[in-house]
Amino acid sequence: MPKKALPKDDFFNKMRELCIALTYDDVRLKTGRSRVVPDKVSTATRFSRNVMLKIPIVSAAMDTVTEYKLAIELAKLGGLGIIHRNLTPEEQAYHVARVKNHLNGLTGLIEKPICVREDDTLKDILYRKEKRQYPFDSFPVMDDKGRLVGILTGNDFGFWEEDSLGLIKVKQAMTTELRIAKQGTSLDHAYLLMKKMKKKHLPLVDDKGMLVGLYSFKDLKNIKSGKAAGYNLDKKGKLVVGAAIGVGEDAFERLKKLAAEHVDVVVIDTAHGDSEKVIETLKKIKKLYPKLDVVVGNVSEAESAERLMLAGADGVKVGQGPGAICTTRIIAGIGKPQVSAVYECSKIGDKYDVPICADGGLRFSGDITLAIGAGASSVMMGSLLAGTDEAPGDVVFKDGRSWKEFRGMGSLGAMEKSKAARERYGQTETGKSELIPEGVEALTPYKGALGLVVKQYVGGLKRGMGYVGAADIEELRAKADFIRLTNAGQSESHPHDVEILREAPNYSVGRR
Ligand code: XMP
């Protein structure tokens, strides 16, 4: 951790003396002598004391951004999704479970596969699959003594008329030509067997013929091909996921359910982190769940960050009002431009070895480089990830373009819908007709697959690291040196005096 004076300290100290706080568009980083090849830099970092990231991108706990689909994809890209809390505790825990159960771990072995009975009907199975949202459609089949007698695959459903599914028993439809292997079969051996036999599933049985595990070829292929090397995984090889909680009793009800699903980190997600209830809740969680990382926010002043760190925060989220849909600074007249806020809080973070996450306000990939240069270890994004295929909500067509809904958690719509959103903005006691919104409801351009979008953001960061001469995130935090942009400097930085013919995947005039 860089604790000695850094090149950027002088710059920010001078700004502070003038009572000037700056944000992304106000600054750029100086370039330096570099031996760094952008494609070779390491983007590994931390979200909190113990929760690692392979890319420094965390998705916002917003109901138009992070549910299980986006959290799964982002963890596969090396980042982390924080499941929002405009859900009941049960629903939120379900989303966490979907992420944790998406992969079958480093060994590729499903230790307790979901099985069906031979006397169940196909309709029963489809109903269960729909209700529990199983992300797979193959099931080992058991007889009434619990012995393995077949396997029911997705294909086996397709050969029956829709209206006869309630009459067809699993034993009539299942595949009985079973290929099995002995308990203890290794991943490598199983992979070879399945490849040779062209089987997508390989059940493992013990001496008595009882099922003790299942290999799925898709999982093994991912592991063998090295595709899983970029995934952000926990120690058991499951995808990493976080969840937002509030304060008081609701937080503890959520925590119980989230911890049961092995959530990796919780975020006390409030508009004003430096408040009594947040600190009380944080201290209590650290007592009850000492092994669970707790990130707390949001704040924008160094003293606030220090109070949270002294109360036990494992990470602090910085950002009050910089977000694309936020109106807090305008409605309440408070807040601090994001780059200065991140810099000041990160000086405290370095003192206590607590990572800072720069939350909100990023508009281009270069802003990630700036946030980390200012001292953040990760960034949280809402608007830049909303509108992707994996974000909740449907694509709508308007004015000749495709869009998806994106709204602030303090918007009227979000607060009317959920007590958690009202609590985030300290308005649980306020009647619905008297709510004071601190965000807006909007549309964001449809962006397509998350994977392509995130690759552009990470690619931009890597380019920035190359220019600065930083081979990893810590080096970027240590080497970054800032200059102040004037309005002329800023307009020079964007394309100018031209008519853009083709929109680039990483630059949109609308974001300027
Ligand atoms: P971006 O700019 O990435 O910001 O979309 C996402 C962050 O904005 C915060 N957030 C809000 N802030 N009013 C606010 O003042 C709101 O309604 C609101 N909703 C979300 C939140 O910290 C998020 O991560």
Side-chain angles (χ1 to χ4, degrees):
M1 285 286 143
K3 285 187 184 142
K4 56 181 196 309
L6 300 172
K8 64 189 163 200
D9 290 341
D10 202 28
F11 172 82
F12 283 106
N13 289 341
K14 277 188 189 138
M15 289 297 141
R16 197 171 29 213
E17 274 164 30
L18 296 170
C19 298
I20 290 177
L22 303 168
T23 192
Y24 297 113
D25 273 359
D26 293 323
V27 290
R28 288 299 102 171
L29 293 174
K30 290 184 191 169
T31 56
R33 183 179 153 76
S34 177
R35 285 203 184 90
V36 173
V37 181
D39 286 340
K40 298 265 178 334
V41 301
S42 162
T43 56
T45 181
R46 301 186 293 171
F47 176 57
S48 59
R49 278 188 208 271
N50 302 296
V51 175
M52 303 299 147
L53 302 168
K54 290 190 171 163
I55 59 168
I57 296 182
V58 182
S59 67
M62 297 172 76
D63 61 3
T64 46
V65 180
T66 313
E67 292 188 346
Y68 75 85
K69 280 191 187 150
L70 191 131
I72 288 173
E73 280 317 302
L74 189 53
K76 282 177 154 182
L77 293 162
L80 170 71
I82 308 294
I83 306 290
H84 71 88
R85 63 183 176 108
N86 269 20
L87 298 162
T88 63
E90 291 74 21
E91 286 166 343
Q92 195 187 25
Y94 163 79
H95 283 265
V96 166
R98 286 294 299 258
V99 184
K100 295 305 296 178
N101 296 332
H102 184 75
L103 294 182
N104 298 310
L106 292 172
T107 61
L109 182 67
I110 308 167
E111 282 170 10
K112 287 186 190 146
I114 308 281
C115 299
V116 297
R117 301 243 155 232
E118 60 178 352
D119 288 325
D120 290 334
T121 67
L122 293 187
K123 196 172 171 187
D124 293 334
I125 310 302
L126 286 179
Y127 174 75
R128 252 181 272 163
K129 184 172 166 333
E130 170 76 20
K131 189 164 171 234
R132 303 201 184 135
Q133 291 280 305
Y134 294 138
F136 46 81
D137 51 14
S138 295
F139 305 88
V141 183
M142 302 291 160
D143 67 9
D144 55 2
K145 297 198 175 62
R147 282 173 311 212
L148 179 70
V149 289
I151 191 153
L152 186 71
T153 69
N155 283 346
D156 297 329
F157 290 90
F159 297 108
W160 306 92
E161 300 302 329
E162 192 88 355
D163 53 7
S164 69
L165 294 178
L167 302 171
I168 309 298
K169 299 242 162 125
V170 167
K171 61 182 160 200
Q172 294 169 262
M174 70 188 184
T175 307
T176 47
E177 235 183 79
L178 273 183
R179 294 284 189 270
I180 52 175
K182 277 193 198 148
Q183 182 170 25
T185 303
S186 69
L187 182 156
D188 289 334
H189 189 199
Y191 183 71
L192 286 178
L193 281 175
M194 292 165 94
K195 232 176 140 177
K196 198 167 142 206
M197 299 182 310
K198 297 198 170 55
K199 287 282 169 194
K200 283 188 182 164
H201 297 92
L202 184 67
L204 301 193
V205 292
D206 65 12
D207 298 343
K208 297 187 186 88
M210 305 301 268
L211 183 77
V212 290
L214 181 75
Y215 278 118
S216 144
F217 190 68
K218 204 168 123 211
D219 288 342
L220 300 199
K221 204 171 165 195
N222 270 346
I223 296 173
K224 296 286 288 180
S225 67
K227 208 170 151 194
Y231 292 2
N232 192 13
L233 302 176
D234 66 15
K235 286 193 185 107
K236 290 190 171 157
K238 306 271 182 180
L239 293 173
V240 169
V241 66
I245 58 169
V247 292
E249 265 173 46
D250 176 75
F252 291 96
E253 194 192 336
R254 279 177 195 277
L255 261 169
K256 211 165 147 192
K257 297 197 161 58
L258 295 167
E261 300 298 348
H262 309 289
V263 72
D264 297 277
V265 53
V266 291
V267 176
I268 304 183
D269 168 50
T270 69
H272 190 32
D274 190 4
S275 53
E276 209 59 25
K277 273 193 178 166
V278 171
I279 291 182
E280 259 170 38
T281 306
L282 167 62
K283 285 186 177 162
K284 203 165 153 196
I285 299 176
K286 289 308 294 179
K287 251 195 208 143
L288 288 173
Y289 299 89
K291 290 199 177 134
L292 181 65
D293 268 23
V294 186
V295 171
V296 194
N298 280 14
V299 295
S300 42
E301 299 294 340
E303 303 76 43
S304 301
E306 184 152 32
R307 271 188 281 278
L308 296 180
M309 290 175 199
L310 288 172
D314 298 295
V316 168
K317 214 147 60 69
V318 173
Q320 289 178 300
I325 38 52
C326 303
T327 53
T328 296
R329 290 192 192 159
I330 305 304
I331 298 304
I334 57 87
K336 177 181 254 178
Q338 189 68 345
V339 171
S340 293
V342 167
Y343 167 77
E344 283 166 25
C345 294
S346 75
K347 291 305 281 181
I348 304 296
D350 286 345
K351 185 167 146 195
Y352 296 97
D353 191 24
V354 173
I356 296 293
C357 175
D359 177 14
L362 297 109
R363 294 187 299 152
F364 295 101
S365 55
D367 296 343
I368 308 174
T369 325
L370 292 168
I372 295 172
S377 295
S378 65
V379 297
M380 179 172 270
M381 293 172 167
S383 136
L384 288 184
L385 304 177
T388 54
D389 287 328
E390 290 79 356
D394 296 325
V395 178
V396 295
F397 198 68
K398 186 174 174 280
D399 300 332
R401 247 193 117 150
S402 301
W403 308 82
K404 278 183 101 166
E405 195 194 340
F406 176 48
R407 68 177 180 187
M409 297 302 275
S411 66
L412 205 51
M415 287 210 285
E416 277 170 351
K417 180 173 172 231
S418 149
K419 189 173 159 222
R422 296 195 289 281
E423 191 214 73
R424 190 178 196 273
Y425 293 88
Q427 299 190 39
T428 35
E429 308 294 314
T430 317
K432 280 196 183 169
S433 60
E434 283 151 20
L435 289 168
I436 313 291
E438 291 188 33
V440 295
E441 294 163 71
L443 290 175
T444 186
Y446 167 66
K447 301 184 184 72
L450 182 82
L452 297 178
V453 168
V454 168
K455 277 204 176 103
Q456 288 295 334
Y457 302 152
V458 176
L461 165 67
K462 288 181 170 179
R463 313 296 311 160
M465 293 169 75
Y467 282 114
V468 171
D472 59 35
I473 295 292
E474 279 311 309
E475 210 176 344
L476 175 59
R477 296 181 71 238
K479 276 191 168 175
D481 197 3
F482 285 78
I483 48 116
R484 172 91 166 89
L485 279 186
T486 59
N487 282 348
Q490 205 207 100
S491 84
E492 182 188 64
S493 307
H494 285 277
H496 50 85
D497 308 310
V498 292
E499 198 61 46
I500 293 184
L501 277 180
R502 183 175 169 198
E503 203 161 274
N506 56 359
Y507 184 84
S508 155
V509 179
R511 286 202 168 267
R512 193 171 162 169

